[in-house]
Amino acid sequence: MKISIKQIAVWILAALITTGMAGAATLETIWTQAPDDQLDFLRSDNTHRGGAYNAANNTVVVVSRATGAGVFILDGTDGSLLRSLDASSLFGGTFQVNMAGVSDDGIIYVGNLSTSAEFPQYKVYRYSTDEEFVPPDTVFDGDPGATADGGTSGQRWGDTMAVRGSGNDTQILIGSRAGTVAAILTTGDDGFSFSATEIQISGINAGDIGLGVAFGTENTFWGTAAGRPIYQIEFDLESGTGTVIRSIEGDGIPAGFTNIAISPDGQYMAVTDLNAHTVSLYDISDPLAAPVFQSAASLPTSNTNINGTGALDFGDGVLMALETNNGVALFEIVEPTEAIAPEIVSGPTGVSVFEGSEIRLSVVATGTTPLAYQWFKNGEPVEGGTSSTLVLSDTTAAMSGDYSVTVSNVAGEASTDPVTVTIRQPVDPNLLQELWSLAPNERTYLGTANTERGMAYNPAENHIILISRNGGVSVNVLDADTGDHLHEMNSDPGLVFGGTFPVSMVAAGDDGAIYAANLTLDGTTSSFIIYSWENDSPDSVPYNSYFGDPGFGAVERWGDTLDARGAGTDTQIIASARSGNSVAIFTTTDGLNFDSTLISGVSGGLGVTFGEGNTFWTTSQGQSLDLYEFDLESATATLVASFDGTVFPSGISPIDAFPQGGFLAGIDLGAGGLLKLFSYQSPESDPLLLLEKPFATSNTNANGVGSVAFGNDPRRLYALNTNNGLVAFDLGEFDPQAVPTTITGIALDQDNNAVVTLSGSPGAEVTIEFSGNL
């Protein structure tokens, strides 16, 4: 008899969303262009984000910053490069070029990126043709949100763009990344100049349409962002308002999809899955039915797309797809010719969650519509379980069991194998008692515009240090017991400056020294800077403790992570490269000036923290949790343990470890921004999920940033989820070495061996009993 002991404690939403396929239309690849292959402007460096299909000429437009601002034209027949357009006059913005769209008459519009449209301004350029080497005209230059009384100025514009119509009927749609607004640009002179109308949308949260927008039929448009519903919005240009008329969540499109396109006739919708790096096609012709899954196709590569950007665009029977860091592809939409019987494409996945959690079990099936669904629990029909997604809300232990679904139509039926749903009580309900919380906009330095990313606990003073760029740089000191604002530290712009952001992340030494790092998108051209303060008093003056390139010539983004430990000359600081495979450990001989040691060949990018001894933990969205042992003399690290998504949620980015208590905590952005607390008996043992707590809001955290920090005396846990506020918990006196043993699953493997899955402390005694009479 074989026994497998493995902790399973993960928050899992449904594996894939369900729908049926009506003798399905399929996506067949015409051509692909992979990054880092033959086209120099297609790289895996976050520089190609926008593209569009030009139906007038059967060409594909790609904008890229890999070799400087550029607009490139690919042949729609084979994907070969035809030409690049004149980009010499493109300037201004956070990025000079970012997204693109094409009108029905073949006019190309290119937008920049403005992270704060007050300055720099948002710009749109017009190319009259993609056939000739002609300079563009600037057709919009301003703030799309400041167009009327009550307008929303200062928004981030340029992550999205959709274009429709021609001549005087041309309309350009853009969505605000962090707001609840969109803007529609209209023209009265055949597209040579545009004016903006801000659309204030009721019924959505900030950032809900920040990563994908598309025009629908008539006066409608669609919008979405990763982990958010897909909204269909009816707009009124005269009043500048938008109303949600349809919301698709769960029963149609799962979390993880972003970027969106709607076919001109309104029949099809296409979305990009950032996790699987695929494009999925849905039939949405019936406004009263869930989207009907048609087909999915893979993008050229599966590189991480941290910014969640890209573009989709329909043409006549084709679909263009571009995903940042993963190249561009053109697909033919092949319409169905005959009806087919049901076939399961993807079934539900078993889950283990805490009581009260919401569970979504989904199935993807193909076949002639209409498809009928019936869910079963332990072989018995589930009342009301007649759609492709089964939602279990307010869960209790009584809902645990084996679930399956049968899909049927006139031609037959197909069923999934049962999967086990385990609903359990928290290990200790007294863990994580909330001390205090601050919601977005409750303080002037806590907002929803991606301006707060760094937070740290100062053990010497029992203070929280919070960095904000909302309205200007501020380094704020809070009482760790109450959350009361105490004062600001000295962040004189004459002393703290440089980089993409002057300061972004913060850490504290054991002696109360404060360290803050800037953000640089490229350490070879803009130095990474670490400032230090002797303490967190308002009189302490910042000092430039490190100034240079931690990557030693490698193009890396630094400043999304920071952790510190020790005191004086024993202080160590660690930072990881966002998109690379390296960390930098900073050490000092005088307690003031630091030198960098680069350690390559490690994972991570958005989560890094010191462990016990010479170890550090790393993770990032879509990656495993890894523990490394490092050697500063040889500048090397050895992988000690790695925990994939079955053990540690792959949606977690910000993390912190508490080796003294055997705790690890992180913010799971893949689960809507839940703070999750884990324990481990040894660094190599599987982390055991103890509890999960939501934040006050669930606004989009598109950059995947934030901070988690433990306090030791008393034991506390603090978490900052960017755009969603700051929260503090009391950890109590829980002993992670004494986790009770529970059975989370029993099954037979392919050799008919009994496999028992347990969670809890090592050393549990297991007795196997057998009965022939059940």
Side-chain angles (χ1 to χ4, degrees), residues 440-454:
N441 302 315
E442 191 170 338
R443 299 267 172 87
T444 57
Y445 47 78
L446 274 175
T448 57
N450 299 290
T451 52
E452 296 83 37
R453 307 184 181 192

Side-chain angles (χ1 to χ4, degrees), residues 159-160 175-179 206-213 223-225 258 309 700:
D159 292 294
T160 56
S176 165
R177 176 110 179 206
D208 274 351
I209 61 167
L211 284 174
V213 296
T224 191
T258 188
T309 48
T700 299

Side-chain angles (χ1 to χ4, degrees), residues 54-74:
N54 188 344
N57 295 333
N58 187 28
T59 56
V60 170
V61 182
V62 177
V63 293
S64 171
R65 296 172 290 104
T67 56
V71 183
F72 304 91
I73 307 301
L74 306 184

Side-chain angles (χ1 to χ4, degrees), residues 698-711:
S698 55
N699 297 318
T700 299
N701 180 352
N703 291 291
V705 288
S707 300
V708 181
F710 283 99

Side-chain angles (χ1 to χ4, degrees), residues 36-43 45 47 64 66-67 72 81:
D36 306 315
D37 190 2
Q38 59 180 336
L39 299 179
D40 191 42
F41 56 86
L42 287 178
R43 301 179 184 175
D45 60 356
T47 52
S64 171
T67 56
F72 304 91
L81 177 64

Side-chain angles (χ1 to χ4, degrees), residues 157-172:
W157 302 97
D159 292 294
T160 56
M161 175 181 275
V163 178
R164 71 174 178 183
S166 62
N168 283 340
D169 294 324
T170 304
Q171 293 181 334
I172 301 175

